Structures are given as structure tokens and as C-alpha cells.
Amino acid sequence: MASRAETDDDSDNNRGSMWVLDQKLDQPMDEEAGRLKNMYREKKFSALLLLRLSFQSLGVVYGDLGTSPLYVFYNTFPKGIRDPEDVIGALSLIIYSLTLIPLLKYVFVVCRANDNGQGGTFALYSLLCRHAKVRTIPNQHRTDEELTTYSRSTFPEKSFAAKTKRWFEKHASRKNGLLVLVLVGTCMVIGDGILTPAISVLSAAGGIKVDHPGLSNDVVVVVAVAILLGLFSMQHYGTDRVGWLFAPIVLLWFLLIGGIGIFNIWKYDSSVLRAFSPVYIYRYLKHGGKEGWTSLGGILLCITGTEALFADLAHFPVSAVQIAFTVVVFPCLLLAYTGQASYLMMNREHVHDAFYRSIPDSIYWPMFIVATLAAIVASQATISATFSIIKQAHALGCFPRVKVVHTSKKFLGQIYIPDINWILMVLCIAVTAGFKNQSQIGNAYGTAVVIVMLATTLLMTLIMILVWHCHWLLVLLFTGLSLAVECTYFSAVLFKVDQGGWVPLVIAAAFLVIMYVWHYGTLKRYEFEMQSKVSMAWILGLGPSLGLVRVPGIGLVYTELASGVPRIFSHFITNLPAIHSVVVFVCVKYLPVYTVPEEERFLVKRIGPKNFHMFRCIARYGYKDLHKKDDDFEKKLFDNLFLFVRLEYMMEGCSDSDEYSLYGQQTEQSRGPLQIKNGDTNTSSTLSDVDLTISSESPIMPVKSPSHINSVTISSAGQTSSQNEMDEREFINSCRDAGVVHILGNTVIRARRESRFYKKIIVDYIYAFLRKICRENSVIFNVPHESLLNVGQVFYV
């Protein structure tokens, strides 16, 4: 219940109806009435906001799915229509495919499996990584599980979920198998990012030939390539600047194709409505034989864009996506396909350009323009989704370091990756100019789509078991129905592998090799760091000077280790006669969460005794976060370091209360967080079982800024502690003024001489090549060249 002060403030800030109500009652409005009225107003506002978000989601989420009517019937009947009944059967398949896959499976089931609003294969993988220890790089700490975004559920030890969890955690090969499944789905989504612009733009540009039959097909290809060049060249501007146009264009598109569908049903043959009976599916497949079965590869194209629907979920609540699909997208698509089928019943010879032929002459050219714009919007959505999924793959150690640019200050997910953009452009133009027709591109597109769907189904099975804890019968029902439909389509596209279906397989195989080899190298480097880290006993044996001259300045030693002292440090001080007065081990790591709140980003601890002046700082990021290339990171690092020193000495000042021992160990009398008081303000800073002296494996202290910390009341013993704190802070400040040196490890891995030849190819050639062409860590961390020190080391795997 809101306090009286809160209610009064709300009333003062919102004069009007509430004020009038107070005047009518001639008495102050009580707290409960104010709370209920506020809730009513918030719900009303939320409903209006939900409608607006549903409208906006049309432009971002449904562009790809909405442009499928451009090419579905052409790819279903590439050799023409022999029997009008085949049109009814194909339409029936389209109707039930749209109902089962996009509507029931994705919109109402899969979209609920989002990771705090994030969709896509990596979002599902991150959910699984939080509920089971299936990550292949074990760099997580138990303090990471205390993040507010690290949401997960628990289950009984003897449950089916617990047994499944233990089965996956038992063997590394099962974890690798799950990772490969995720990477295969990811690579197919990247293939979609190449094929969607090709088939959408080429299909839209094909409308020119309908009005000018004498034009060569090469002219259509040239127009499509020109549009694609413009589309990819504009990517660096981002979708935020032109995104406000997307929703109106796509809404207009859906309304037009729905309206044209109604017109065609009324004008040509309303008997196509028989297709709503599933009996015609059986008749179609029985009558068509093998040719009818292979035509399923064309019908599959009616649900292309469904995976992009899930991948582009980030900016919209699930309810907004559901409203947009059920109210606008689904009925308009059904009307569009039914209208085309009605036209084809009377004009079977026009199947190759059924969409444009079925448009009334009076609105032909306006419709051509809208279709071209809708194809561009659909292409933009898949390109953006490709950028996003590559960023996620990089965050989880499965893609080489590339330049990532934020294109919007409002939306964190809107990014641009220049290198990937130009690669996509070259491949997309090559596919468009190489095939020159929709049929072969459609075969390739269908292969990519169905493989992504199969990967999603398998991941969703694990989500239902480990995350949702569904009954095994429900899991079996969902998995069985999904696989029955998708495996049927998959068997159909296998017949078309030699007719263009090989393209996404080759593209996916190339990206899969890149991603898995990079992940393999990253894993081996991490294992080497873990096995060769320096013991604290060796560090303590060096003494406060570390056995060397301590020169003024701060050394930031970058490492992948979240605990222990890295080998790079011993390698450095063994070969150089001096080390900085303050040493900070910096670890930047990504967690299986979509974002890490700014106030929870840094973890700080001390390594060794205080007179060593050695610290560890861990900066944690989610797969949607971007480690920005600016000076803000270094500033925040030092701010958190100073705050840690302050809190540490304040806790020592509280040791007389027997709540904490000298080094911050929590006593038996107190198990709660330390309360730092400032008048009436209580601010808690959690310090759970932290050893601030010599243990390198102890848990790390989350540094959270306490409010109003300037006037803390301390005891006389605490005054000495405060003086020591000021001395150390001044010492660190003076070292910072003397200069900051960034020490980066340049670890090179090589295959052993006795290794098998394929391992030598993977490590010595492919991984070495990827390391050579990817961005340097110094560029990512924005390290000035004059203050950079690279320490090289080689190890053999």
C-alpha cells in the first residue's frame, strides 16, 4: 500500500479528475482509493501502449513472413498446374501450416520461452545454461547467480528435470552436442539473412515484367541487385532513423493483400473456401505422388520469417506480438493466399506471376511500389537479426572479434557490424545474380528455414523440461506434433538439395567451421590459463615488492581468469625488473544473461595483503551489452576500485560489533548483509564470506554504491581505519596520475607435433588465420598505443 506522502504527491502532480473527486467527497481521498485509481489509470495507459507496440511490431517482426505471398505459389508449382484440385490442396496445406507453425507453435508457445524478452536460438541456449551447467567454458562464479537478470527456477532432485540436467552435465560430449545444435540453428539464421533479401527483392522486382512482358529477365536481376546495393549501403544509418516508416508500410501491405484477396474470392471462384477442410491435404498428396510431396518445399515458404519473428522479439512484449499476429497478420495472409488460389482456379497459366496477375489493373503500380518497400522492410529485419545473433555468438565465445556499432541511443539491440554487412551483401548479390530466378532461391530458402525450426523444436523440448518443468506427456505432445510437421517438410526439401538447396548448407557449413573452430581455440586458451595460473603462495613469497622494483603507476593486467593470478603476470615479472606500484587484474567476461545492470557490472576484490596493492576487477556483460569503445570503462573501473577500498575500511571499523572479523569474515551471530547507516538511511552492501587477505579463490565482493555515504558514523577505532583508507586512496590516485599501463596477453596456441593432421589444420591454419584477421583486444578495450604492453606466450595443445 502506498504511503500517505506518495498518495498526496501523486494527487498534486495529477490535478483534474482526482482533484474533482476530492472536492465532491469534501474529504481527503484515502490511500486505498488513490492506489486503485492509479492502478486503473496505469492499466488504461498500458492497454494503449500495448496497441501502439503491436502496431510497431508489424514493421520489425512480420515483414519477412508478410512478403511470402510474392513467391509461394510459383515455387509450389514451378512446372505449372495440371488440375484445379491441386490448387485447393496446396491452399489447404498453406492454411494449416500457418495455423500450426507460426500461430500455435511460435506465437503462443515458443515466444513465451524468451530470455527476459530476448528471442532466438542463443536466447534459448542462455536459458538452458542458467538452469544446467552445460556451458563448455566454465568461467562462471556463484556471485554471478545473484544478478537481478540471472533468473532461474529450481526443481526437486528426483524429478525428471533433475535427471535430464544430470544427464547433460555428466559428459562433455553432450554439452558439445548441444552447442553444435545451437550453432547449426544460428548458421541457418545467418543463411536466412542472405536468402531473404535475395528472394524478397527479386520477387518484388519481378512485377516489372508483368506490365512489360518484353523485358529480359536480366533487367529484373539488375533492378534487384541495384535495390540490394542500396539496402546494404544504408545499413550504417541504422533502423532507428527510418524505422518509423516500417510499421505503416507493412500495415498498408497487409491491408492491401487482404483486401485484394477478398476481391479475388468474390470475383473469381469462392469454391476455394473448401480448402479449410483438411481432407484436401490427403487428396493432394495422394493424387500428386512424388511430385506433390516435393512441392511441399514450395509450400514451406509460406512460413518463412517465422524464426525471424522469434529472433526479433527483443523490442516488443510477447502480448504485443500475439495481438499483431492474430488481429492483422494471420487473417490478412489467409485472405491473400485464398484470393490468389481463387484467381489461379480460373487462370492456371499465370502461376509463375500469380501475385501480380491477381492485382486489379487500377492499383497495379501503387501495389508494385508497396510490394518493393515491403520487401526492403522484410530484408532489413533479417539483416538486423543476423547482426544481433552474431553479436550474441561473439559474447558466448563462438565468433571472432568484430567491430560492433550502436546505431540507436534508444534501443540497445539495434547494432551494425560493418564486416558482416559487406559479406552478406556480396553473398546476397551472388545468389541473386547466380540463380536469376525465384525457384532455385526458394529451394535454398526452404532448406534453411526448416533446419532452423528443427533446431528450435529440440531446444524447446529442453526448455519445457528444465525451465518450465512441464509434464512429460505435454513435452511429448509438443515435440511429437512439431517434429511430425517439420520432418515432413524436411523430407521434401531433401529432394531439392541439387536444385539450389545446397546453397544454405554450404553457407552454414562455412560459418559453422568458423564458429566452432573459434570456440575450440577460446576453450583451449581458457583451459591453459586455468591450468597454468600462479599460486598465491608464490606471490606471497615474493614479498610486498614482489621481488622487484615497484615503480609509480598502475598496471592493468587483462586476463580471462575470474579467479587466481594468470601466468602472464609471472611471465612478465620474471622477464622485466620492475612492476607498477598498483596492479589490477581486469577480467571482462560475458554471462548467459541478456544484460547486466550497470550498478551490478563490476566485482572487486583484493589479492594478497594490503601492502601488496593488488586487486582484481571483473566486468560482467550480457550477450546484448556492448563493451563501448570510450574512456568510460576505465573511469568506472577506478570509481569502483575506490569505492571498494572505502567499503573495506568501513567494514573493518565495524568489527567491534562482532558482526565481521578483521578481514570481513562473517561471524555466526550475523548472517545478513552489512548495514551502513547514515542517519535514517540504511544502505546494504553484500559481503558474503569474503577473504580480503591471501586467498585467491575466495568469493568476490559486488561493489554497489551506497547512497549518502559521506557522513558515516564510525567509532574511535574506525577513525584510524578511515585515515588508512584516505592514505590508500591518495596512494592509488597518485599512482593513477603517474600513468596507467595496459598489459595484454598475446597467447598463441599451436598443435603439438604428434597431433593428427586435422587438428594441425584447425589450430595452426584456420584458428591462426581467424586470430590474424579479427580485431585486436587493444582496439576493443580502446587502449592507447603509447600505454600498451603486449606480453606474448606460446602453448601447445
Side-chain angles (χ1 to χ4, degrees), residues 103-122:
L103 180 64
L104 296 181
K105 179 186 174 183
Y106 275 86
V107 173
F108 288 105
V109 179
V110 176
C111 283
R112 290 184 57 244
N114 60 83
D115 181 17
N116 289 282
Q118 308 298 316
T121 50
F122 269 109

Side-chain angles (χ1 to χ4, degrees), residues 626-641:
L626 182 65
H627 181 68
K628 295 182 180 179
K629 182 183 174 182
D630 52 29
D631 297 326
D632 196 41
F633 175 78
E634 186 176 315
K635 178 181 179 297
K636 289 178 179 177
L637 187 150
F638 283 114
D639 287 345
N640 281 272
L641 180 60

Side-chain angles (χ1 to χ4, degrees), residues 673-702:
L674 174 64
Q675 300 292 324
I676 302 172
K677 293 189 175 184
N678 174 26
D680 294 331
T681 303
N682 291 342
T683 305
S684 64
S685 179
T686 306
L687 182 63
S688 175
D689 298 332
V690 181
D691 184 347
L692 300 173
T693 52
I694 63 173
S695 175
S696 66
E697 302 299 331
S698 60
I700 305 165
M701 177 180 186

Side-chain angles (χ1 to χ4, degrees), residues 726-742:
M726 294 302 297
D727 291 342
E728 182 162 19
R729 291 182 67 189
E730 288 177 5
F731 176 74
I732 296 174
N733 249 329
S734 64
C735 291
R736 184 183 181 184
D737 294 337
V740 178
V741 176
H742 302 259

Side-chain angles (χ1 to χ4, degrees), residues 66-86:
T67 53
S68 297
L70 285 168
Y71 44 77
V72 168
F73 276 108
Y74 170 59
N75 284 274
T76 304
F77 302 106
K79 298 179 181 179
I81 301 172
R82 294 178 300 178
D83 188 343
E85 288 296 306
D86 290 344

Side-chain angles (χ1 to χ4, degrees), residues 367-380:
M367 193 62 192
F368 171 77
I369 295 172
V370 174
T372 304
L373 292 174
I376 292 173
V377 172
S379 304
Q380 177 65 56

Side-chain angles (χ1 to χ4, degrees), residues 215-247:
L215 284 178
S216 168
N217 191 57
D218 292 337
V219 176
V220 177
V221 174
V222 170
V223 171
V225 168
I227 294 173
L228 290 171
L229 281 170
L231 174 64
F232 283 99
S233 299
M234 297 292 287
Q235 288 300 311
H236 67 281
Y237 291 110
T239 57
D240 189 38
R241 300 188 183 183
V242 293
W244 58 274
L245 281 173
F246 288 179

